[in-house]
Amino acid sequence: MYQLYAKSNGETIEEHICNALNAFENLCKYLKLSEDEKWVIKKLIYYHDLGKINPEFQNKMRRKLGISTLFNWCNGYIFHEWLSPAFITQQDENEIKSELAQLGLDKDRFFNFFIFTILSHHNRENQLPDDTLIRNMIEWIRNNIDNFQNIEYYYNCKNLLSTYNTSEDRNLWNTFYPFRIKWLGSLLKCDYCASAGIEPEEKYEGNYQNDFENFLRNKKITLNNFQKQAGANSNKSIILVASTGMGKTEAAMNWINGQKAFYLLGIRVAVNEMYKRFKIIFGDNVSLLHSETSYLFAQQENDEDEHEIKIEKAKKLSYPLTVATADQIVTSVFKYPGFEFTYLTCSYSKVILDEIQSYSPTAIAAIVVFLKEIHRIGGRFMLMTATLPPFLKDEFRDLEDLYIFESQLFDIKRHKIAIIEEEIQSSKLLEILQNNTDKKILIICNTVRKSQELFDLLKTNNFNPNLIHSQFIGRDRKEKENHIMNAYAFCIWISTQIVEASLDIDFDLLITENASIESLLQRFGRCYRKRAYDKDEPNIFIFKSQSYGIYDSYLFNKTWEIINKYDGKYISEKDKQEMINKVFENITQTKYFEEYKKQKDLLEIGYRSLTKIEAQKDFRQITNNIIVIPENVFFDNEKTIRTLISFIENKSYDKLVRIKKQAELLDYAVPIQLYNIKENVLMDIDKSNFCKKHRIKILKGCKYSSQKGIISTCTDVRGGDNII
């Protein structure tokens, strides 16, 4: 007799199925399933990989294991999941249909869906099965492999995949949607986790409430009324508007109440900082998830197996607490193949979404639809923000088990504003700086180019400014982030939108260009975050500006109109909410709302992205994204960079070591977007497969300095900020 393998590590098909069934036993602790539904899902798990019995797959596994092949088959390759339904006997089919009838379901339609679930547990929607080839292989197996003389195939893969994946029949989609999430979601999660050798859900080590209370005790924090209320409404979804610095994060921790949770933020830097904060309180129960998770974990681990396990647990959403960028979770709303895995996990989880107004209108639409959908399948969300446009609150009012807080606002006044009817590069700016030489000063511009021009202006006038924006290479960006977080008087920092929500900083004086109200109020939060302000002179100066196409022109101009009414006045937290209400009160005809509504309508009628990567682009509205090494940086560090690339591509080195080298390589690079590219601006780095795969290129025709970042003369270059 011979072994039938499921994995190249020597795991047999039988062993893998047993592991997946054991994973389901773990998962059932978190799911509300009847015994009949559990039975159906167990059957799905039992059959899902039997198609690996096919001779082509077995020969492939044996070659990887270094043992001789057994089967004489050379007539074509079939993905195993397309073959798996053939192993369902007539007796099993009758049993499955009987169980479906017990569930009150149409046994014939739902048996077809049962087959579809098996067929689609791998993401191959862009490929179509060859039914003739499948039938030929079945005939071969019947005649050549013992114990399978009775297998039979009478399903049309193409029709089933087309019916449930690409049909525009919304009634059909709505009928099977809950079962996609429960059945296919469970199969995916158990299959993925069994393959990775991890549990679908990690049990919290220790006691969540004890850890939280110890944190409060050590920090001498007493929960205020709204933070306690959040805990009292832990079984509901929550909308919380509270002033910056009032303790929304502690309210969220109390609301989590020991349940599985995802804490989502918009910017990777903010995610890293929140991860560190959660990690101190809740220890190894916390994971991090964003595009550079692997690099960060590599810096913490010296054991390759431990690193791999941490990455797998993070990607499979297995940790009790996960801090992530929103695009890692919310993009499942685009229903890319495999979205069911994320939706199933969120159906028994809590999702915290911070500062929704800081996202683009299309991203806000995706967030709104996602939160409503996961709420309706059993998950709960906490939407918390310092300011909330009124139309967003209205979006959620029809949900059951929703608690909307009265706005929680500081009763102290932290800001007095002055409106300057001039562009920011004016003598008025220099005058303000000269009058405040004892303060920590933050200047925020709307574009990288403007921030660089301002940097030059201040240098020329004998100030000593610092500059931070998205177009610094990795090592300089990290140094600047650390520097600004520890800034003290006297200093001047010039920045862009990246400081609006990503860094926990508190300056004495804010000088900013006008922006859309939600962005402007985020900027206010970087000045006097928790302190009362009662001096006569303003601590916020707002200069006239242009929208540069970054902001909706109506919202931008309306902000300037409304903010002018507060010139020379102290503004309260209530004033800020009134500002945003007034700016957004008539927005239905704006481009902003048009983009929001179009995206929301599209998602609600069932738009599906082809891949998760495409979904992330749809969410972030990123096009032509690329990683570049500025030309002078490359040639100044050519030997080091080429050595790193050579090391990364040499598979004789440990994987963990190579990942660490990848992180080192990114210290010389900048993620950007390119528009209106001139000829020969981008240059390949030799024939590096790693650089080609990750779209890492040399950016020619530009200068780079550690003080100013990329200074491009060849193209329109954009990074994480809105840049012109």
Side-chain angles (χ1 to χ4, degrees), residues 652-668:
S652 66
Y653 292 111
D654 289 343
K655 184 177 180 181
L656 181 58
V657 177
R658 288 189 287 121
I659 290 173
K660 291 181 178 181
K661 295 299 181 184
Q662 291 172 22
E664 288 182 41
L665 178 63
L666 292 180
D667 278 343
Y668 297 95

Side-chain angles (χ1 to χ4, degrees), residues 260-309:
K260 183 179 179 68
F262 297 94
Y263 196 115
L264 307 182
L265 297 131
I267 301 173
R268 191 167 59 242
V269 178
V271 170
N272 289 343
E273 291 303 313
M274 189 61 70
Y275 167 69
K276 293 174 188 174
R277 187 173 176 184
F278 265 66
K279 186 91 171 163
I280 290 169
I281 302 168
F282 304 110
D284 290 337
N285 296 295
V286 185
S287 184
L288 175 73
L289 187 60
H290 56 56
S291 60
E292 293 187 4
T293 298
S294 181
Y295 301 139
L296 192 143
F297 283 175
Q299 306 308 313
Q300 301 172 351
E301 294 291 341
N302 291 313
D303 184 294
E304 185 173 330
D305 290 339
E306 283 298 315
H307 175 264
E308 287 297 312
I309 289 171

Side-chain angles (χ1 to χ4, degrees), residues 702-713:
C702 72
K703 294 180 180 179
Y704 178 87
S705 77
S706 59
Q707 286 191 323
K708 292 180 64 176
I710 292 177
I711 307 163
S712 179
T713 58

Side-chain angles (χ1 to χ4, degrees), residues 478-530:
K478 291 172 192 173
E479 183 180 331
K480 287 174 178 292
E481 286 169 358
N482 183 60
H483 191 179
I484 194 172
M485 292 281 285
N486 296 289
Y488 54 88
F490 163 72
C491 68
I492 299 172
W493 277 90
I494 304 170
S495 184
T496 53
Q497 293 93 326
I498 62 166
V499 298
E500 288 179 6
S502 62
L503 299 173
D504 186 10
I505 53 177
D506 184 9
F507 279 72
D508 302 322
L509 190 72
L510 171 68
I511 301 169
T512 176
E513 290 188 283
N514 182 49
S516 186
I517 187 65
E518 71 281 8
S519 182
L520 201 59
L521 293 179
Q522 286 281 97
R523 297 178 187 189
F524 286 10
R526 308 304 106 187
C527 174
Y528 270 73
R529 284 176 66 81
K530 300 179 183 179

Side-chain angles (χ1 to χ4, degrees), residues 422-433:
E422 300 176 28
E423 297 276 331
I424 199 166
Q425 301 121 301
S426 67
S427 58
K428 184 64 178 176
L429 171 66
L430 301 178
E431 179 185 328
I432 294 168
L433 296 178

